[in-house]
Amino acid sequence: MKNSVYRLSIVALSILAFQFLPFRVTAQSESTKLPFKGFMYLQPNVGVSQYYGDLNKFNYYNANPKFGFGAALGYQISPLFGIRGQFLKTNLYSERKDENLKFSSNLWDAALNLTLNLNEIFVPYNEYRLFNFYVFTGAGITSYKSKIEDLTSSLVLNEHKSSQNELIVPVGAGISMRLSDNLALNLEYGDHITFKGDQIDFTNNEKQNDHYTYSSLGLQIRLGVKDSDGDGVKDKADLCPGVPGKVELAGCPDKDNDGIADKDDACPEIAGKAEFKGCPDTDNDGIPDKDDACPTVAGKKDLSGCPDKDGDGIADKDDKCPDMPGRKELRGCPDKDGDGIIDSEDACPDVKGLAKFKGCADTDGDGIPDNLDKCPDVAGSTASNGCPEVLKGAILKKTVYFNIDESMVLAQYIIILNEVAAYMNENPDARLSVAGHTDSRESAEYNMRLSEKRADYVIDFLKKKGMKSTKVEKTFFGKNKPVADNKTAEGRALNRRVEIEITK
């Protein structure tokens, strides 16, 4: 965030310095300047966005900018102040090659901004000024879905399953160049600062919140009071100022000539009735065709104009069993055992079961449905057809690694912990040995506690994954048993570890 403020400060100081240069670029003399009149404007724009956060190696720039586009609708209240609503759609992207991580985010945001024209602070208002400098800030909301992948294998390490929303504060500056009475070219830079440090990129750094910038080129279109479309209705009174229309319809067109202006006509290409906002009703069921899911067959209003032969409250077009009353959540089909699986697709229709087993139960919870389980009351394995499997002397050794001063395993080693958990679940009588270690940083006492926390993390992870074995041995050695030279960064990384060993 400090770097963002620093960049914006440089922009602001540059603008202020320009105000005191010995020349002014204007199109008219002081005597011909016009008084200010408030105006509305529309400003579409395109540009590039850049992400700044924990997964960008260098906070002062990002080597992976992405295309973006947006628009602003605003009103200039006075020569000094204006207000605008702004929308942005873009993607964020960054690569951390030093951590073998790739970050991406599909994002849009919307904000309400207050704009301040800096020229007017120092010189009198001039409508024909060639350049105008401004700053802006406000508040808004950003919505995004992010994903972190392994840079080498593209393995997804973390992602948002649904859109995430949070508040933002946009801060920025821009330059507007006048092209004509109604047009201006805008070059703008803005920083969008979030209130959370870990939501966009799943990584928290208490020194700064995540943020992203957007540099854009836009065209500002002033909405005046002329008759732009030449239909005899002034723009101020023209309800459709950009399209020639009829005087009797306040300047709006009526393509289908049904006496309803296209802007109010829900079906502007087809003549219809005023009671249905210009839309026809082909089947005369009182529901206009545009809202009628079955426009050629008379139906019920509560079913969007569609019929329901079996009377179960589900339209025939959506009813998988239209001739037999059923349940709404099962698209009109019956379910005798009430397990949420329709009878025709239920392998065990008389016994309440699970969807993943096609409606059959799994009494012992071993992942094998009772109809295929030779030992349905005792947990077993697939290899033994649901019966307990005898461990045959198998031995498994694995090592996982950690970041500096952290007791949570590095993301790329989660897959190893999942393998160990699966093995322990299949072999509940196996013995598990977990040994925690650290590098030589910090004191012996601190490292001893940290190595214990790392061992505890691994054991807790396996328990959460279903491990039930009571034969668990935990040891922790701090920095006392290095496997590599602690004088190098690579050696220290290899010493920050937990060693896992499974024996029968």
Side-chain angles (χ1 to χ4, degrees), residues 84-206:
R84 72 182 186 184
Q86 181 131 10
F87 172 80
L88 167 65
K89 178 69 177 73
T90 188
N91 292 298
L92 303 180
Y93 182 81
S94 182
E95 293 181 0
R96 280 298 299 259
K97 294 182 180 179
D98 57 327
E99 294 184 7
N100 200 36
L101 296 177
K102 178 171 62 176
F103 165 78
S104 61
S105 184
N106 186 357
L107 174 148
W108 66 262
D109 70 27
L112 185 64
N113 296 333
L114 181 68
T115 61
L116 173 67
N117 288 335
L118 299 179
N119 303 62
E120 315 310 324
I121 299 176
F122 305 101
V123 295
Y125 167 70
N126 182 356
E127 183 179 7
Y128 295 94
R129 182 181 292 121
L130 182 59
F131 291 104
N132 188 50
F133 299 86
Y134 61 94
V135 293
F136 64 88
T137 188
I141 186 171
T142 180
S143 180
Y144 50 82
K145 289 176 70 175
S146 301
K147 179 167 62 177
I148 297 178
E149 300 174 82
D150 183 274
L151 186 59
T152 304
S153 66
S154 294
L155 176 68
V156 176
L157 304 177
N158 210 340
E159 67 177 337
H160 292 135
K161 299 301 182 182
S162 60
S163 295
Q164 307 294 306
N165 304 309
E166 68 173 301
L167 296 176
I168 56 169
V169 174
V171 181
I175 303 172
S176 177
M177 184 177 74
R178 181 179 180 275
L179 301 179
S180 69
D181 289 347
N182 296 317
L183 292 176
L185 195 65
N186 286 69
L187 183 63
E188 190 171 293
Y189 173 85
D191 199 344
H192 301 234
I193 305 165
T194 70
F195 281 80
K196 298 181 180 178
D198 61 350
Q199 190 158 315
I200 288 183
D201 57 15
F202 310 95
T203 307
N204 188 23
N205 182 339
E206 295 181 356

Side-chain angles (χ1 to χ4, degrees), residues 170-460:
V171 181
I175 303 172
S176 177
M177 184 177 74
R178 181 179 180 275
L179 301 179
S180 69
D181 289 347
N182 296 317
L183 292 176
L185 195 65
N186 286 69
L187 183 63
E188 190 171 293
Y189 173 85
D191 199 344
H192 301 234
I193 305 165
T194 70
F195 281 80
K196 298 181 180 178
D198 61 350
Q199 190 158 315
I200 288 183
D201 57 15
F202 310 95
T203 307
N204 188 23
N205 182 339
E206 295 181 356
K207 295 181 180 179
Q208 70 170 22
N209 288 346
D210 296 321
H211 59 112
Y212 53 94
T213 64
Y214 180 58
S215 303
S216 64
L217 181 67
L219 185 65
Q220 186 184 96
I221 306 167
R222 185 181 297 196
L223 307 178
V225 293
K226 300 179 181 180
D227 180 15
S228 305
D229 53 22
D231 59 2
V233 183
K234 296 293 184 182
D235 290 353
K236 189 172 183 179
D238 198 330
L239 298 181
C240 305
V243 183
K246 298 180 179 181
V247 174
E248 62 271 23
L249 293 177
C252 290
D254 176 18
K255 285 186 281 187
D256 56 17
N257 293 310
D258 58 2
I260 303 166
D262 291 347
K263 73 178 186 66
D264 300 319
D265 197 329
C267 304
E269 306 288 343
I270 306 172
K273 301 176 180 179
E275 61 184 295
F276 298 131
K277 294 185 178 180
C279 288
D281 176 18
T282 303
D283 55 16
N284 294 311
D285 58 3
I287 304 166
D289 291 354
K290 78 174 187 67
D291 299 323
D292 198 329
C294 305
T296 59
V297 182
K300 300 178 178 180
K301 286 187 178 181
D302 57 349
L303 295 177
S304 299
C306 290
D308 174 21
K309 286 187 290 185
D310 57 16
D312 58 3
I314 303 161
D316 292 346
K317 72 180 185 65
D318 300 320
D319 199 328
K320 291 181 66 176
C321 306
D323 298 312
M324 184 182 301
R327 297 168 60 180
K328 191 171 185 178
E329 61 270 24
L330 298 178
R331 296 184 61 186
C333 290
D335 173 23
K336 286 189 294 182
D337 55 19
D339 58 4
I341 304 163
I342 62 176
D343 293 345
S344 61
E345 298 176 3
D346 197 329
C348 304
D350 297 315
V351 179
K352 189 173 183 178
L354 303 172
K356 64 180 179 179
F357 298 133
K358 295 184 178 180
C360 292
D362 177 17
T363 303
D364 54 21
D366 59 2
I368 304 168
D370 291 351
N371 61 324
L372 302 176
D373 197 330
K374 290 186 176 180
C375 303
D377 298 315
V378 181
S381 67
T382 303
S384 299
N385 296 315
C387 293
E389 183 178 0
V390 178
L391 188 64
K392 299 178 181 179
I395 299 176
L396 182 67
K397 292 184 178 180
K398 296 289 183 179
T399 303
V400 295
Y401 297 90
F402 299 75
N403 252 330
I404 297 171
D405 292 336
E406 291 188 4
S407 58
M408 179 181 294
V409 72
L410 288 168
Q412 59 264 40
Y413 295 100
I414 293 295
I415 189 172
I416 291 179
L417 293 183
N418 285 330
E419 290 176 5
V420 174
Y423 192 94
M424 290 300 295
N425 290 341
E426 292 178 1
N427 299 276
D429 294 326
R431 294 181 179 274
L432 174 69
S433 173
V434 178
H437 302 271
T438 70
D439 60 24
S440 62
R441 295 163 59 92
E442 305 300 340
S443 67
E445 181 181 355
Y446 176 86
N447 284 329
M448 194 63 71
R449 290 197 304 271
L450 180 58
S451 64
E452 183 180 11
K453 288 181 181 179
R454 288 173 175 172
D456 286 337
Y457 173 86
V458 170
I459 294 172
D460 290 343

Side-chain angles (χ1 to χ4, degrees), residues 35-86:
F36 175 82
K37 292 183 180 180
F39 62 89
M40 291 189 67
Y41 63 87
L42 178 65
Q43 185 176 315
N45 59 74
V46 295
V48 293
S49 63
Q50 292 184 298
Y51 154 80
Y52 297 96
D54 303 301
L55 296 182
N56 180 31
K57 183 176 182 181
F58 303 105
N59 192 43
Y60 55 89
Y61 82 96
N62 183 340
N64 304 104
K66 288 296 181 180
F67 172 78
F69 64 91
L73 179 65
Y75 184 79
Q76 194 63 35
I77 302 169
S78 70
L80 191 60
F81 293 105
I83 190 169
R84 72 182 186 184
Q86 181 131 10

